[in-house]
Each structure stands twice: as C-alpha cells, then as structure tokens.
C-alpha cells in the first residue's frame, strides 16, 4: 500500500490522480462543452456530442450567437487516443473522409487533449432524455403515407446526448455543408422539445423552442409537428447502428 508521503510525491509529479477516469468509449459518451477566445479575442462556446459511435462539435460566438463552425463523423478509442474520421468539417472540407488521432485525458468531469489548451466540461453522460443516439433521416410523410428516403452521399444526421442535440446536413462525397442547428432538448410525456442555441442559416432562430410529438417504433424515431419555418412535418429517423448493420 502506498504511504501518504508517496501519494503526495506522485501527485506532485502528475503520476497519480485518484479521480482520473478510465480511458474508454463509455467514459467519453455524452456531451461536453468549452468556452474560449478566438484569435480576434471573441468569446466562443462549443459543444461536442459523442453518441451512437459518432461525434459532432459545433461552435458559436457568445456575443451575437452567430454560428462559427461544425465538425464531426465516426470515432473510436485506441488506448489513450481518439481516432476520428470526418464526415463533415466546415473548417477544412479537405478533411472529409480522412482521420485524425488525438491523445486525451479525463480527470473527473474534465476532458483535455494533448496540444490543446481548451478544457471541456461534461454536460451529461448520455442520460436524461429518451433519444440519445446518432440518427439519419430515412423517411418522410407525403400525402398521408411514409415515403422511404434512401441513404445517399447527401445525409442529414441528428445526434443527441442525454440533453443536447444537433442536426447536420452534408455530403460525404463532396464535403459540401448545407446547414446545422442545435441546442438542448427534453422528452416528456411523448413530447420532444428543442431549445435552439445556434442555427447556421438564420441566427434569428436562436432562442426559439419547438415542440414535437415523438414515438419510437422498432427503434426508429417518429417525429411530427411544425418545422422551424412553420411547415407541418412527419419524419422517421433511424439509428445509424441499425442502418450500418444492413
């Protein structure tokens, strides 16, 4: 057994930390946030959602809520590193289809990456709502009938942790980005409510709350109500893990 003096010595040199979290996929799941200043001194708020084997990160300026960037794709853990393969990257479209490896550390509820001074704080661990997962839209109601939407290079993904959501429209073949939005959500008594914190196409949508009916049928998420433009919608979203098994 290590003595108190030994533990203090190890802690001094960063070799012992009693609250260090195991480096594993489970330890990363959920939502994380950070606030930092860009090169021009403007404050930026960023949220990363890691759910269903996918990750999205989006950032907006805090002074006027304007959208800054989003990146994301699939991820896996290898030892103490995250290997991320990009499906979208508004900072560098040339990275789409390519992978990056990042060494990371989790201590308590704090996440850091080697070579990056930002500290990410855990928002949730994937619990809180009923829909934590990564989904692709696979169907829409037209004239009272559900019409399947085949999976193509042009995708619309919705990724949710226990409390956070983001949707992203993009093309994995061309790297083209079409739009994104996100914020917090709740699922209560069959009602799914989005509270918008960023919206790339129209900053005036920020602050709005949208309520929808939802149900899960054969693991697919059925989502109905009025869109952000006031149009009626009925959508079917399928977990990516199901799509990719077929």
């Amino acid at each position: 057994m290590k003595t108190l003096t030994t533990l203090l010595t190890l802690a001094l040199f960063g070799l012992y930390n009693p609250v260090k979290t195991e480096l594993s996929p489970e330890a990363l799941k959920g939502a994380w946030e950070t606030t930092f200043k860009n090169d021009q001194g403007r404050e930026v708020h960023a949220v990363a959602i890691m759910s269903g084997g996918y990750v999205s990160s989006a950032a907006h300026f805090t002074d006027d809520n304007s959208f800054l960037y989003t990146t994301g794709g699939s991820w896996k853990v290898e030892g103490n590193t995250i290997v991320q393969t990009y499906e979208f990257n508004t900072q560098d479209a040339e990275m789409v289809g390519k992978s990056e490896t990042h060494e990371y550390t989790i201590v308590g509820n704090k996440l850091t990456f080697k070579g990056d001074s930002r500290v990410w704080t855990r928002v949730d661990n994937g619990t809180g709502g009923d829909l934590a997962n990564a989904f692709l839209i696979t169907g829409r109601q037209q004239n009272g009938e559900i019409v399947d939407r085949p999976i193509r290079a042009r995708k619309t993904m919705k990724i949710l942790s226990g409390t956070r959501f983001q949707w992203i429209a993009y093309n994995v073949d061309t790297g083209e980005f079409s739009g994104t939005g996100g914020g917090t959500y709740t699922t209560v008594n069959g009602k799914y409510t989005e509270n918008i914190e960023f919206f790339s196409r129209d900053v005036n949508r920020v602050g709005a709350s949208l309520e929808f009916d939802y149900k899960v049928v054969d693991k697919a998420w059925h989502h109905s109500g009025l869109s952000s433009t006031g149009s009626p919608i009925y959508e079917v979203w399928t977990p990516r893990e199901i799509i990719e098994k077929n």
Side-chain angles (χ1 to χ4, degrees):
M1 180 179 294
K2 294 181 175 68
T3 66
L4 178 59
T5 301
T6 301
L7 293 177
L8 290 173
T9 302
L10 291 171
L12 178 64
F13 288 96
L15 302 177
Y16 174 76
N17 192 321
V19 296
K20 190 170 183 177
T21 303
E22 179 186 359
L23 299 179
S24 69
E26 289 299 319
L28 285 162
K29 286 181 180 178
W32 303 82
E33 66 180 356
T34 188
T35 301
F36 60 95
K37 290 187 177 180
N38 71 354
D39 294 341
Q40 290 72 47
R42 291 183 70 184
E43 188 175 78
V44 177
H45 182 243
V47 173
I49 300 171
M50 307 186 76
S51 186
Y54 288 82
V55 58
S56 68
S57 178
H60 66 274
F61 291 111
T62 61
D63 53 7
D64 62 2
N65 296 316
S66 58
F67 171 75
L68 181 56
Y69 70 78
T70 187
T71 67
S74 61
W75 64 279
K76 61 182 178 179
V77 169
E78 293 182 352
N80 65 336
T81 65
I82 299 173
V83 181
Q84 179 177 342
T85 302
Y86 289 97
E87 287 194 347
F88 54 93
N89 188 327
T90 61
Q91 294 179 306
D92 184 0
E94 294 296 320
M95 286 302 299
V96 172
K98 298 178 182 178
S99 299
E100 282 187 332
T101 299
H102 306 277
E103 185 176 332
Y104 75 100
T105 302
I106 298 176
V107 178
N109 66 345
K110 303 295 183 182
L111 169 66
T112 55
F113 295 94
K114 186 175 181 180
D116 188 336
S117 62
R118 293 176 298 178
V119 178
W120 296 79
T121 302
R122 183 182 293 281
V123 177
D124 67 65
N125 63 357
T127 61
D130 294 340
L131 297 169
N133 213 332
F135 301 84
L136 291 178
I137 191 167
T138 55
R140 279 199 174 99
Q141 189 177 79
Q142 296 178 4
N143 301 319
E145 295 185 359
I146 301 297
V147 177
D148 291 340
R149 178 172 173 171
I151 302 301
R152 299 189 177 96
R154 173 40 165 96
K155 302 180 187 299
T156 301
M157 180 170 76
K158 211 163 201 176
I159 184 168
L160 300 92
S161 68
T163 61
R164 298 278 178 158
F165 82 95
Q166 185 184 352
W167 65 266
I168 317 100
Y170 57 97
N171 189 307
V172 293
D173 285 350
T174 66
E176 180 184 5
F177 166 76
S178 300
T180 189
T184 63
Y185 83 96
T186 59
T187 49
V188 180
N189 296 327
K191 299 291 184 181
Y192 166 81
T193 303
E194 294 182 344
N195 304 297
I196 300 174
E197 293 185 351
F198 64 91
F199 198 100
S200 65
R201 297 171 178 167
D202 184 359
V203 71
N204 294 317
R205 303 276 177 81
V206 173
S209 293
L210 303 174
E211 184 180 272
F212 303 89
D213 294 322
Y214 84 95
K215 58 184 177 180
V216 177
V217 180
D218 296 329
K219 297 185 179 181
W221 167 20
H222 290 240
H223 173 85
S224 60
L226 298 178
S227 71
S228 58
T229 60
S231 303
I233 59 171
Y234 189 112
E235 300 172 335
V236 179
W237 297 80
T238 301
R240 297 197 64 163
E241 60 204 27
I242 294 177
I243 294 170
E244 286 150 15
K245 284 180 181 178
N246 296 330

